[in-house]
Amino acid sequence: MSQQQDEMSFWDHLEELRWTLFRSILALVILAIGFFAFMRGDDGIFPNIILGPTRGDFITYRLFCTVASSISFLSEFCDTAFNIEIINIKLATQFFTHMTTSFWLALVLAFPYLMFEVWKFIRPALYENEKKNVRWVFLFGTGMFFIGCAVGYFIVFPMTLRFLGTYSLSEAINEQVSLDSYMDNFLMLIFIMGIIFEMPLLSWLMSKLGLLHRGFFNRYRRHAVVVLLILAALITPSGDPFTLSLVFIPLYALYELSAFFVKPAPKEEDDEEDTAVAYPNE
């Protein structure tokens, strides 16, 4: 343990924790105020980014339209008239949505800084080799979280919205989506994807604790494929193979990446040693 850690008393740790929390909360408040100020208006964040997937000119739809010539069933994304009507049925919903959306966006943007504050707080208690590992873990975890949120925003949520928003049980039903329902699904799917993309990091930590090894992933790979296919089908209920693969491929890649980061099983290590003895020149 470092000398700085030995010299710090309990109250010193408590004081450092207090300042860590203060800086973290201050960063969140400042960012939330900034997002709150730029949320409304024709050029605001809410109509152009949050509600972007409700219109036919959304970037994902336009991208799929450009490749529609080679994949026939993607031609439906060329419908620029596509529009999901969002309605508000409660008096205070728009104001509270304004505040909560500002906070969640601030939380996402401040995620790297919050991880940095956590790193600064625990760094004095670590050995030099542990500091290198933890620094890499925080950087990797932050990057994977943002990638997951991007996959949720550009792929998972638009595909889900496109299917459910155009699904018709009867022509007598006029499709209108409440603001509450839209935001609940928007935040849930994007943040769930961000958390799912932390699976390699979680697997690495469990491997370090001796709770997980590579043999688990090898043994249950076939089961994982089935489960991930079902999960991808639930996330993107449209049913066509293209949108299904858009979600399944990243999820399966996360599974293999998780297997790569964990330690080999003890039996696998023994087999590797036996192989090295049997074929010393290879």
Side-chain angles (χ1 to χ4, degrees):
M1 191 161 300
S2 67
Q3 183 178 0
Q4 181 183 356
Q5 179 71 8
D6 294 335
E7 295 175 352
M8 292 180 67
S9 66
F10 170 78
W11 297 109
D12 292 331
H13 285 295
L14 196 61
E15 180 68 12
E16 183 62 27
L17 176 61
R18 185 175 72 87
W19 280 105
T20 298
L21 293 175
F22 173 77
R23 290 191 297 267
S24 300
I25 294 174
L26 181 63
L28 284 174
V29 170
I30 293 174
L31 287 174
I33 292 175
F35 280 120
F36 188 90
F38 293 97
M39 190 67 65
R40 298 189 302 170
D42 294 338
D43 299 325
I45 296 172
F46 200 87
N48 292 286
I49 297 179
I50 306 298
L51 295 182
T54 64
R55 299 186 297 271
D57 61 350
F58 185 60
I59 183 173
T60 300
Y61 308 148
R62 288 189 281 112
L63 179 62
F64 287 168
C65 181
T66 58
V67 297
S69 57
S70 56
I71 305 177
S72 59
F73 56 79
L74 289 181
S75 58
E76 63 181 87
F77 291 98
C78 297
D79 180 15
T80 56
F82 170 78
N83 182 66
I84 298 294
E85 183 179 357
I86 306 297
I87 62 171
N88 178 47
I89 58 177
K90 295 180 181 178
L91 183 62
T93 296
Q94 293 196 64
F95 176 72
F96 285 116
T97 299
H98 191 167
M99 291 196 301
T100 56
T101 304
S102 300
F103 169 77
W104 284 111
L105 290 178
L107 185 61
V108 171
L109 190 63
F111 189 77
Y113 177 75
L114 298 180
M115 291 297 98
F116 173 72
E117 286 291 342
V118 173
W119 156 249
K120 283 177 54 180
F121 180 72
I122 68 173
R123 181 175 55 184
L126 302 176
Y127 295 104
E128 288 302 321
N129 61 327
E130 293 175 328
K131 290 179 182 180
K132 296 178 181 178
N133 290 334
V134 173
R135 186 185 300 115
W136 176 87
V137 166
F138 281 147
L139 291 174
F140 179 78
T142 300
M144 292 300 291
F145 177 77
F146 280 125
I147 292 174
C149 289
V151 171
Y153 176 75
F154 288 106
I155 298 178
V156 176
F157 179 71
M159 296 298 97
T160 304
L161 177 70
R162 188 97 184 194
F163 172 78
L164 295 179
T166 57
Y167 185 85
S168 177
L169 184 64
S170 170
E171 294 183 358
I173 301 175
N174 184 25
E175 182 69 28
Q176 292 180 322
V177 180
S178 70
L179 181 60
D180 282 336
S181 177
Y182 180 85
M183 292 306 302
D184 287 345
N185 284 276
F186 180 87
L187 295 174
M188 179 187 68
L189 287 176
I190 291 176
F191 278 98
I192 282 179
M193 292 304 298
I195 294 172
I196 288 176
F197 269 65
E198 298 287 356
M199 186 170 67
L201 177 59
L202 178 61
S203 300
W204 179 82
L205 292 174
M206 293 179 66
S207 176
K208 285 293 184 180
L209 296 173
L211 302 176
L212 190 64
H213 53 75
R214 194 170 300 159
F216 173 85
F217 291 92
N218 296 333
R219 186 178 307 115
Y220 293 104
R221 180 169 280 104
R222 294 181 180 178
H223 303 79
V225 170
V226 175
V227 172
L228 292 177
L229 279 172
I230 295 174
L231 180 61
L234 292 175
I235 294 175
T236 56
S238 59
D240 63 84
F242 179 76
T243 54
L244 184 67
S245 63
L246 283 177
V247 177
F248 171 76
I249 291 175
L251 292 179
Y252 182 72
L254 287 175
Y255 183 87
E256 295 296 342
L257 189 61
S258 300
F260 174 78
F261 280 121
V262 301
K263 297 178 180 178
K267 183 178 179 181
E268 292 176 350
E269 294 174 343
D270 293 340
D271 292 342
E272 291 175 359
E273 293 176 359
D274 293 340
T275 303
V277 172
Y279 304 98
N281 296 326
E282 295 185 1

